Amino acid sequence: MTHSENLTDISRTIDDFDSITDANKAVVDVMTAGQPVLVDVARAHTLIPELDTGEKVLLHAGPPIDFGHMPETIKGACIGAAMFEGWADDEDAARRVVAEQVRLIPCHHVGAVGPMGGITSAHMALMKVVNTTYGNVSYSTLNEGIGKVLRFGGYDAEVIERLGWMRDVLGPALSSALATTDGGYPLAPVMARALTMGDEMHQRNIAASALFAKDMAPLLARAGLPGDTVAEVSDFLGRTDQFFLNVAMAASKACADPARQVRAGSVVTAMCRNGYEFGIRVSGLGDRWSTAPVNTPSGLFFTGYDQSQAAPDMGDSAIMETFGLGGMSIVAAPGVTPFLGAGGFSEALATTEEMAEVVTAHNPNMPIPTWNFQGAPTGIDIRLVVQTGITPIINSGIASKHPGVGQIGAGTVRAPMGCFTRAVEALAEVYGVDVS
């Protein structure tokens, strides 16, 4: 399903190309030509029809999964969402409701992305991003900040109260601010500028978040909102260093999604994880998921926590690496590598150079000054991954495996090779190639 405004038809098949190489170039051209624009923030059920049916529905990160296979961290986020929606008054009742009554849908199946657990419910505030080049639409929740938050499995009263404030105050305020613009807030220029300021867009978003807060301030004032609302929202944006992550996720999803219309080639169009399986989509396989068991992130931990308490890999935020940012472009943000346990500049450079071995191109719109202004490595080719044995590296926060605890560190994780070997085998069938 493709969510669209006025979708440009760029559908093509393997018969339209002389080779996989030609198809891959077309896929990457579509991805890098995207112009994502943030146009609104609204309650999720007003934007996504699947959340407006009257059923109990939750969106989750990663490929399809049932409640029983979810790790406790994501179950905690489901419990929090059920309580936020008023489906239950306590943890035990919420757990029963989710297990017995709730329909679970991957965010990616409805044009959305969600960080960590990815849990999105009908009345949460949701960003709407339009790719003005092709007319497709993507969505993401707003970043909750740090501490005990839903995306890391939190579900206590503080978490629920914050979600209510985002629904009732933050979301409407940003919507009013965006309504004062001429067509919305372009995101690609902000992302490109932030890359020159030390962000890689997945773990470090300080520059992008600061630019966003700076640009929103006059729009909030122009919207005629009460002074205390402007102050409250501006304060939240100013101190939430990771706020732009969710924005960049929606932007990257908006750029990657139309590439799925080019149903040929071997380029990855989505990577995501649900705490149980890691899934990828590939241009030549359309909407099909190729999955393998997830790995567990490693890195640096907050005081009092260690690797034994880390939850398995989760979240749709690997859409950043799909688009060529995050761990793929970690050389852009050498300042964050010690925090990730990834060494210093030389290690960051080596990582990005390694990632360049498994892509088909560089994004000319995302130049990296610390890499001699080469464009971000873009267009992960599953054939190159299998051939070289190099799997994409993903920057990530580390959640506790116990629900309600929240984030306990940050680090990196590798995509499992099994996703790519399965995808290569499936693609070989499509192309009629014997890979035995």
Side-chain angles (χ1 to χ4, degrees):
M1 180 178 189
T2 302
H3 289 251
S4 63
E5 298 290 283
N6 296 295
L7 189 65
T8 301
D9 185 4
I10 53 173
S11 300
R12 303 178 76 179
T13 69
I14 60 174
D15 295 331
D16 295 318
F17 300 98
D18 293 331
S19 66
I20 291 181
T21 299
D22 290 341
N24 287 346
K25 182 180 185 305
V27 172
V28 174
D29 285 348
V30 170
M31 292 177 68
T32 57
Q35 290 297 322
V37 177
L38 177 62
V39 298
D40 200 7
V41 180
R43 296 190 181 189
H45 72 94
T46 68
L47 299 174
I48 297 178
E50 290 84 350
L51 292 175
D52 199 32
T53 64
E55 296 180 88
K56 293 182 176 68
V57 177
L58 294 177
L59 309 182
H60 66 80
I65 189 173
D66 58 54
F67 186 68
H69 283 104
M70 286 180 171
E72 286 300 314
T73 306
I74 300 183
K75 287 181 178 178
C78 290
I79 289 168
M83 295 171 68
F84 170 73
E85 290 293 335
W87 299 339
D89 295 327
D90 58 55
E91 176 185 344
D92 290 339
R95 185 180 289 268
R96 287 194 299 272
V97 167
V98 178
E100 299 171 5
Q101 302 177 29
V102 169
R103 180 187 175 202
L104 297 168
I105 303 175
C107 291
H108 272 287
H109 287 194
V110 296
V113 279
M116 299 306 291
I119 302 303
T120 305
S121 64
H123 293 89
M124 291 180 185
L126 203 67
M127 290 179 287
K128 176 182 177 180
V129 171
V130 175
N131 182 341
T132 58
T133 304
Y134 299 108
N136 61 292
V137 181
S138 65
Y139 312 97
S140 177
T141 51
L142 297 170
N143 192 281
E144 304 161 82
I146 59 174
K148 290 185 178 181
V149 290
L150 189 81
R151 69 182 184 276
F152 283 102
Y155 53 82
D156 63 15
E158 177 186 347
V159 173
I160 306 304
E161 181 180 357
R162 186 187 299 109
L163 291 173
W165 176 78
M166 296 172 75
R167 173 197 63 204
D168 299 333
V169 179
L170 178 60
L174 291 175
S175 178
S176 296
L178 292 166
T180 69
T181 66
D182 183 16
Y185 180 71
L187 299 175
V190 179
M191 295 166 70
R193 187 177 180 189
L195 274 178
T196 72
M197 299 168 69
D199 282 358
E200 39 69 62
M201 296 292 147
H202 194 161
Q203 192 55 236
R204 189 184 194 276
N205 283 274
I206 296 174
S209 297
L211 292 170
F212 183 84
K214 173 186 72 67
D215 292 341
M216 284 298 116
L219 301 182
L220 289 165
R222 191 182 304 158
L225 299 168
D228 58 347
T229 298
V230 173
E232 193 176 357
V233 169
S234 295
D235 176 66
F236 180 80
L237 295 178
R239 59 185 167 81
T240 306
D241 290 346
Q242 281 286 75
F243 187 85
F244 199 82
L245 170 59
N246 297 43
V247 185
M249 285 173 58
S252 297
K253 171 70 171 171
C255 290
D257 251 14
R260 285 163 49 215
Q261 289 193 62
V262 184
R263 293 179 177 268
S266 54
V267 170
V268 175
T269 58
M271 295 193 294
C272 57
R273 47 269 212 257
N274 57 30
Y276 179 66
E277 290 184 314
F278 192 110
I280 65 173
R281 278 174 165 171
V282 178
S283 56
L285 298 174
D287 293 342
R288 175 174 176 171
W289 290 106
S290 298
T291 63
V294 297
N295 295 319
T296 299
S298 61
L300 294 184
F301 292 85
F302 303 155
T303 302
Y305 300 101
D306 58 39
Q307 187 68 49
S308 68
Q309 297 163 287
D313 193 21
M314 64 184 72
D316 289 331
S317 54
I319 194 68
M320 302 309 304
E321 281 76 11
T322 306
F323 188 56
L325 302 176
M328 304 289 290
S329 293
I330 196 169
V331 70
V336 80
T337 54
F339 179 64
L340 297 174
F345 179 77
S346 59
E347 288 81 5
L349 175 61
T351 296
T352 297
E353 293 280 5
E354 182 186 35
M355 294 300 98
E357 294 185 42
V358 295
V359 301
T360 66
H362 295 264
N363 189 339
N365 302 315
M366 297 289 162
I368 302 174
T370 48
W371 201 30
N372 292 324
F373 290 93
Q374 293 183 86
T378 306
I380 298 168
D381 187 338
I382 60 171
R383 299 174 305 163
L384 293 175
V385 171
V386 173
Q387 177 183 330
T388 63
I390 299 170
T391 53
I393 191 166
I394 297 162
N395 292 348
S396 181
I398 303 176
S400 169
K401 64 183 180 182
H402 302 293
V405 174
Q407 184 175 4
I408 62 172
T412 60
V413 65
R414 290 274 183 171
M417 179 60 77
C419 297
F420 298 91
T421 55
R422 289 185 177 93
V424 166
E425 290 167 355
L427 193 66
E429 291 183 15
V430 171
Y431 275 90
V433 175
D434 183 2
V435 294
S436 59

